[in-house]
Each structure stands twice: as structure tokens, then as C-alpha cells.
Amino acid sequence: MTAITNTFSTDQPFLSELLSAASSGSIQLPDFQRGWVWDDNRIKAIIASVSLGYPVGALMCMETGGEGVRFSPRPFEGVSISNTSPSELMLDGQQRITSLFLSLKSQFPVLTTNEKKQEIKRYYYLDIKKCFDPDIDRFDAIVSVPEEKVVTSDFGRKVDLDLSSTDKEIENEIFPLNIIFDGNKSDEWQMRFQEYYDFDKEKIKFLFRFKSEVITPFQKFKIPVIKLLKDTPKEAVCQVFENVNTGGVSLTVFELLTATFAADDFRLRQDWDKRRAVFDSTDPVLKHLDEKDFLTAVTLLSSYNKHISKGSSISCKRKDILNLTLSDYCSCADDLQQGMIRAAKFLHTQKIFDTKNLPYQTQLIPLSVICSILGNGFENSAARNKLSQWFWCGVLGELYGGANETRYALDVQNVPAWINGGSEPVTVRDAGFYPTRLLSLQTRNSAAYKGIMALLMKAGSIDLINGDPIETTTYFDQAVDIHHIFPRSYCIKQQYERRFWNSIINKAPLTSRTNRIVGGKAPSSYMASIVKNHGISSHNLHNHIETHLINPALLEVDDFTGFISDRAKKLLDLIQAAIGKSVTGRDSQEVVQEFGGHLQ
């Protein structure tokens, strides 16, 4: 058995050592970390905890210099350094250490916010008397004063506290916290305190008690630090960060790669923003494509290229994305961008125009990679037919709804090979559709539901009144949506079973205008109204209705049962044509029981 070795070490440095390391730049932050955001009260609260020797939680750092992880560093807020290479990066603890550094180490006012989220600048002090009052919470002994070190009221007309000089600090017996770790300045302040009170014994005793019970605990305060060793792999860094940094922003693979690529002076975020703008301006179907989708697809394409050249396996799991090199990214990103644009074009041919009606957002990832691999071959009719079959097998077989990385890899490897004469891909082989599934397709939450509606539009589904095809212009300009053929209110009144009348069998893509005309009327009634009021012959109306795979003769006599059976058969024929294989069980006992007969 392989020995398991730790990827970390532990230590308990003094707080003063950590703050000095932050000040010198030997400890910095990875560039993916968000900015410092703590407000005035949270700063006072952590100062109070330290002053009492209470734990403030462990920190997590990572050694730099390893081969596996290279991040672009940045100094802590308030630290002025340049061209300093850190020995460690802090993964968890930025807010705490920054707050303590700014309030206890920096000589500048702390730029923070108040309860109203308004920006304020503050210096922090300890009220010595309140530190010894057992009835006063230590939080209330922390004094936060404005930049000018004068606290006023009555719109500035009344001075409540003036700490604008050392003598005034001593007069009010309030100690400045930003000198607590500066031995020389702290000693000078204490000597000045004794001089100010003419070496009064009681005041000296009072001061020494403060030094012993408050200042010394600050100086002896230790914080536990977990240090990830420099050879810790990226996936471990990412997982550990997400486990421990529950109060911060979750570290995504995109953020981790952004920080990694920044070490080579490549701005991944800016690159993605440019590509995102291209996708947004290209097609609405790419609207919800995000940076993780893009990285997954880049990893798939890069992995496929290596598979072709080296025979390695194809994979796009989390660890594969994290191990994507800048060279891999740059060599594949442009090709993938074009593949995504081709994928959008393909979806248009399938009558899928936007994300609302895209069956699986996840399937867009392998589709884009396959389109990248096909290149100009994407335009070949035979290739397009096989791509269409694979796509609809994924949708109607409902195969892209769970964990998909393995299926991505298999399809990216097998679909291009299949198009070029290879064996059938696993998604085509696995796909199946059982007839009674039509009854459970009740809402657009299902990929199969959206897919069947797109297939209906692909098959025809012209507007009942004017006969316009539901192409891009009508789809966007005339508010096409999915509506009942036997209207909902009519079905309820007739006491038809909901599982039939609300299923996809009783639905079609119609314009909002047509749906208003249909209203809650019986089909025979609204068909007569259309002929009478909209200048269309009965013959043409029948032709328009038939493009929705509906037998108009059944509507004219309001035959709901006959309609359900007849349209179910036609929808199953449509599905068979799309997936390129038979729908089994059309004459099964279950089907006969549900529909009152077979659906052959």
C-alpha cells in the first residue's frame, strides 16, 4: 500500500510575526482573493478578542515555489511593497490579518465602513480604564476615532473626545493601538505617560497593570497556521480552500486558473470577458454559457487533441481543468470559440433559438467541441445528419441531466469518429424513449419536453391564422409560447384527466395572438371563429393545423380521446425519426391500458 503523506504542516507564530511578514511582503495574497471588506464593528470585535487572548480561528497559508501551483501574488491592503516575491500566500485569513494589520501595525487611518455601509476612516485605541471595568465589555473599550482624531457631536460644534496629540491621549488615558507592536514607540508613550503625571505612584501602578494585562497579551498572542506544502497539487488547493473558506467567496476552477495564468502575465478574466462579449452579440442561445463551461470545453478539446497525437485518454474532470496549461488554453480557445458559434448555428437549424428552449445547457459543451473538431466539415450534409441524430438522442433519451464529464469525453471521442465512418457512439446506443413518457411531460422543466417542442417547430408548426412558419422572426417578434390545443378551462369543464390534457400531447407552439383567439373554447368553436373572422378558408386552416401533427377532423368534432391517441402516435413517429431508431413498447400492455389501445 502506498504511504499517505501530509500535504501540510502546522505552526503557531506570534501575531506580531505574522503582521511583520505581511508588512514585508514575505506573506502575500493570491491574486484571486477578493478585496478586504470588514467594517468598523468587525475590526473592533477582533481587536477585543485578541486583547483578551481569545482564539480568532486558524489561518491557512501555502508555500510558494512549487511546480504544481503558481499564483500571481498581491500584498495585503495597506502594504506598500514592489517586486517582492513572497515565501507564502494566505489562502484563508485575509479579512482577519488585514484588519489586524491596518489597526495595529499601519500608521495610516483605516478605510472601512460604518453600519450604514458608508466609507469612514478610523484610528483605533484602547480606553485603559474601561479595560479594567468588569461591567464593561471589552468591545466597548475599543475606541474608534475619525482621521483627525477628534470626536464631535451637535454637527461638529461640541468636542466629545480629542486625541489629536500624545498628551491628549494620555490625558484621556486612551492608548493608540497602532504602536502596540512598535517597542520603541510604545516605550516612549509609556514614559511620556509617567512624566505627564509627574511619576505618580498610583498612575505608574495603573500603567504597569495595563502593560501586564493588556499590552503583553497582545505581544504574546499566537495564531495557529496550517501551511500547505509547495508541492500540494492544484485540485487539493482548490478543494481545501473551498472547505475552509466558508465565510469568503468560493474559489472556482476559473479563479484558480486565473491566478495561475496571471503568474505568466496572462489575464484570463479579460480574455473571457472579450469572448463573452462575442457570444452575447452572436446568438441568444449562448447567453447562459459561463466561464466554467468554456474552460470545461477547452479542456475537452485540448484533451481530444492530445488523444489524437499521443493516444492519451480524454477527460475533463475538475482535476483536468485545473491542470490545463496556458499553452493548452491558448492553442484551443480560438478554435473552441468558433465551435461554439457553429453550435449555435446548428441549434438554429433544430429550431432552438434561445436558452429558454435549449433542452440541456450541459450538452452545449460537447456539441461545441465536436463542432470545433469537425471544422469546415460541419457544413457537410451527412455530418450534419449524424450530429442531429446524436443531439436528439441525448435530449430525448434524457442522458445529459446528471454528472456528465464521462459522457462528454465519450461523445467527443466517438461522435467525430462515427461521422467519419466509425462505430455508433454510446449516447446514440443508450438513447431510448418509452411511449408513456409523453404523459409525464407536463412542463418545460424537462429537456425532452423542450426537445419535442423544437421538433414540432422543425417539422412545420406554422401559424394557424396567417400560415407563417415559426422561424426566428416570428419566434421573437410574435411571442411564441407553448399552449394547449384543447384549452385548459374547457378540459377542466369537461372533466378530462389532467395527466392527458396538460401533457405535451395536448400542446403546441402558438403565437400569443392565436392563443387569445383559442381562449377557453372547444376546438370546433375556435376553428369556426378563425374561419369566420380571419379571412382563412376551412381547407387552409386544416392544412395549418396538420403542420402541428394534429388531425383537424378530430378537432372539428371535439374528439379529445381520439385526438390524444392520434397525436401521441404522431409524436412518437417524430421522436423515432429524430433519434434514428424505433420507439419500443408502442403496443405494450401498459400503453394499451393508458391510451385505450396501441400507439403503432
Side-chain angles (χ1 to χ4, degrees):
M1 181 181 292
T2 303
I4 299 175
T5 57
N6 277 346
T7 59
F8 65 92
S9 63
T10 58
D11 196 6
Q12 276 195 318
F14 289 110
L15 172 60
S16 58
E17 294 173 338
L18 287 169
L19 298 186
S20 293
S23 180
S24 68
S26 63
I27 294 180
Q28 295 185 39
L29 299 167
D31 202 33
F32 60 72
Q33 286 273 35
R34 64 171 177 166
W36 175 70
V37 295
W38 274 18
D39 62 21
D40 183 51
N41 281 335
R42 294 193 74 177
I43 296 170
K44 290 166 66 176
I46 195 169
I47 293 172
S49 293
V50 171
S51 74
L52 292 166
Y54 294 168
V56 295
L59 308 177
M60 178 167 288
C61 294
M62 182 184 67
E63 291 180 339
T64 60
E67 293 297 322
V69 181
R70 291 174 61 233
F71 291 140
S72 178
R74 64 176 172 85
F76 283 84
E77 188 88 12
V79 175
S80 297
I81 55 171
S82 59
N83 300 321
T84 300
S85 297
S87 59
E88 297 174 23
L89 296 176
M90 184 165 289
L91 298 180
D92 185 41
Q94 176 198 7
Q95 303 298 319
R96 287 167 285 165
I97 293 301
T98 302
S99 297
L100 292 169
F101 172 81
L102 292 173
S103 59
L104 306 181
K105 188 84 173 174
S106 172
Q107 299 305 299
F108 299 99
V110 182
L111 178 60
T112 182
T113 57
N114 60 19
E115 298 91 337
K116 298 179 180 179
K117 305 300 181 184
Q118 298 167 327
E119 282 194 353
I120 55 174
K121 290 184 177 181
R122 289 291 187 266
Y123 285 103
Y124 293 88
Y125 293 79
L126 274 171
D127 187 313
I128 300 175
K129 287 181 180 177
K130 288 184 178 180
C131 286
F132 300 139
D133 190 332
D135 295 325
I136 294 179
D137 189 275
R138 183 56 59 87
F139 176 88
D140 296 320
I142 312 299
V143 181
S144 165
V145 303
E147 182 180 12
E148 58 276 10
K149 300 183 180 180
V150 178
V151 179
T152 63
S153 59
D154 193 20
F155 300 100
R157 289 190 285 266
K158 180 183 176 183
V159 175
D160 298 318
L161 180 63
D162 187 346
L163 302 177
S164 59
S165 68
T166 300
D167 282 353
K168 289 179 179 178
E169 291 170 353
I170 293 169
E171 178 186 349
N172 288 283
E173 297 181 345
I174 293 180
F175 180 80
L177 279 166
N178 63 357
I179 66 170
I180 201 163
F181 291 124
D182 188 324
N184 291 333
K185 288 184 178 179
S186 180
D187 288 346
E188 288 175 8
W189 192 94
Q190 293 173 62
M191 181 58 69
R192 179 61 191 142
F193 185 95
Q194 296 176 62
E195 292 172 351
Y196 185 88
Y197 288 107
D198 199 21
F199 297 97
D200 180 86
K201 289 184 180 180
E202 292 301 317
K203 289 295 185 182
I204 292 175
K205 188 184 296 184
F206 174 73
L207 178 64
F208 280 7
R209 182 187 175 193
F210 175 68
K211 180 177 181 180
S212 173
E213 295 183 17
V214 182
I215 293 180
T216 299
F218 263 100
Q219 295 170 340
K220 291 185 176 181
F221 190 85
K222 292 183 176 182
I223 299 182
V225 176
I226 301 169
K227 185 185 299 183
L228 298 184
L229 304 181
K230 61 184 179 181
D231 293 325
T232 303
K234 285 181 186 177
E235 57 268 27
V237 174
C238 192
Q239 183 173 339
V240 168
F241 185 92
E242 291 179 341
N243 287 340
V244 303
N245 197 31
T246 55
V249 176
S250 179
L251 176 63
T252 66
V253 291
F254 182 83
E255 297 299 340
L256 192 52
L257 277 185
T258 297
T260 303
F261 289 176
D264 291 317
D265 201 28
F266 182 85
R267 299 293 178 253
L268 181 60
R269 171 64 65 182
Q270 294 177 13
D271 184 76
W272 164 247
D273 287 343
K274 291 178 183 177
R275 297 184 193 280
R276 170 76 274 167
V278 172
F279 296 144
D280 285 344
S281 63
T282 298
D283 200 291
V285 81
L286 300 175
K287 183 178 180 181
H288 289 170
L289 186 73
D290 63 23
E291 57 268 43
K292 172 118 182 332
D293 294 335
F294 190 74
L295 282 181
T296 302
V298 168
T299 304
L300 261 178
L301 181 56
S302 173
S303 184
Y304 173 84
N305 291 340
K306 291 175 182 176
H307 168 75
I308 295 301
S309 62
K310 301 177 182 178
S312 55
S313 60
I314 299 175
S315 180
C316 64
K317 295 183 184 296
R318 180 189 180 96
K319 67 177 182 179
D320 302 303
I321 302 173
L322 290 170
N323 287 325
L324 188 72
T325 67
L326 178 57
S327 175
D328 292 336
Y329 179 85
C330 291
S331 66
C332 294
D334 288 344
D335 287 343
L336 180 65
Q337 180 173 314
Q338 290 304 310
M340 287 184 161
I341 293 171
R342 291 189 189 105
K345 181 179 179 181
F346 166 79
L347 291 171
H348 270 237
T349 67
Q350 308 303 308
K351 296 298 183 282
I352 298 168
F353 303 105
D354 59 20
T355 56
K356 177 183 177 183
N357 294 287
L358 178 63
Y360 283 124
Q361 179 74 25
T362 51
Q363 200 174 4
L364 186 56
I365 293 173
L367 174 62
S368 300
V369 176
I370 292 167
C371 289
S372 300
I373 294 167
L374 293 177
N376 293 332
F378 165 79
E379 302 293 346
N380 179 278
S381 177
R384 186 75 65 86
N385 289 339
K386 283 192 172 180
L387 187 63
S388 177
Q389 182 183 353
W390 163 79
F391 176 78
W392 289 115
C393 281
V395 171
L396 298 168
E398 298 180 276
L399 298 174
Y400 268 92
N404 296 304
E405 290 87 353
T406 300
R407 188 169 296 277
Y408 291 166
L410 288 172
D411 281 342
V412 163
Q413 178 176 344
N414 295 332
V415 173
W418 177 51
I419 288 173
N420 290 316
S423 59
E424 191 175 74
V426 64
T427 294
V428 174
R429 188 179 71 242
D430 289 350
F433 190 94
Y434 198 72
T436 55
R437 178 68 174 123
L438 291 174
L439 295 176
S440 60
L441 294 175
Q442 301 267 327
T443 70
R444 68 167 68 246
N445 293 333
S446 163
Y449 182 100
K450 295 178 184 179
I452 290 172
M453 283 301 153
L455 286 174
L456 282 169
M457 288 192 285
K458 188 180 179 185
S461 294
I462 64 177
D463 185 71
L464 298 188
I465 296 172
N466 60 27
D468 286 344
I470 301 182
E471 297 290 348
T472 307
T473 53
T474 58
Y475 193 79
F476 293 115
D477 296 343
Q478 295 187 27
V480 172
D481 208 340
I482 300 167
H483 299 289
H484 294 89
I485 301 158
F486 276 74
R488 173 192 179 98
S489 59
Y490 172 81
C491 290
I492 292 173
K493 190 180 299 181
Q494 298 298 317
Q495 298 184 336
Y496 295 144
E497 288 187 65
R498 180 184 177 89
R499 65 194 180 102
F500 287 106
W501 65 254
N502 198 49
S503 74
I504 198 167
I505 303 170
N506 186 41
K507 293 179 182 177
L510 303 172
T511 65
S512 56
R513 178 185 65 166
T514 299
N515 189 55
R516 286 193 298 271
I517 294 168
V518 167
K521 307 181 186 77
S524 59
S525 177
Y526 68 68
M527 287 175 66
S529 176
I530 290 173
V531 170
K532 180 179 178 181
N533 299 317
H534 295 278
I536 180 173
S537 68
S538 178
H539 174 75
N540 285 341
L541 177 60
H542 280 212
N543 288 340
H544 295 173
I545 290 172
E546 285 173 351
T547 67
H548 293 264
L549 305 187
I550 297 169
N551 184 345
L554 296 172
L555 297 190
E556 282 193 323
V557 294
D558 301 325
D559 183 356
F560 180 75
T561 302
F563 159 78
I564 290 293
S565 178
D566 180 73
R567 194 159 194 255
K569 293 176 185 177
K570 291 174 179 174
L571 290 180
L572 293 177
D573 290 343
L574 184 69
I575 291 167
Q576 285 186 168
I579 65 176
K581 58 170 68 176
S582 297
V583 172
T584 61
R586 296 177 68 161
D587 58 353
S588 69
Q589 184 177 352
E590 183 184 5
V591 167
V592 172
Q593 184 176 344
E594 290 285 359
F595 289 92
H598 65 75
L599 296 179
Q600 293 285 19

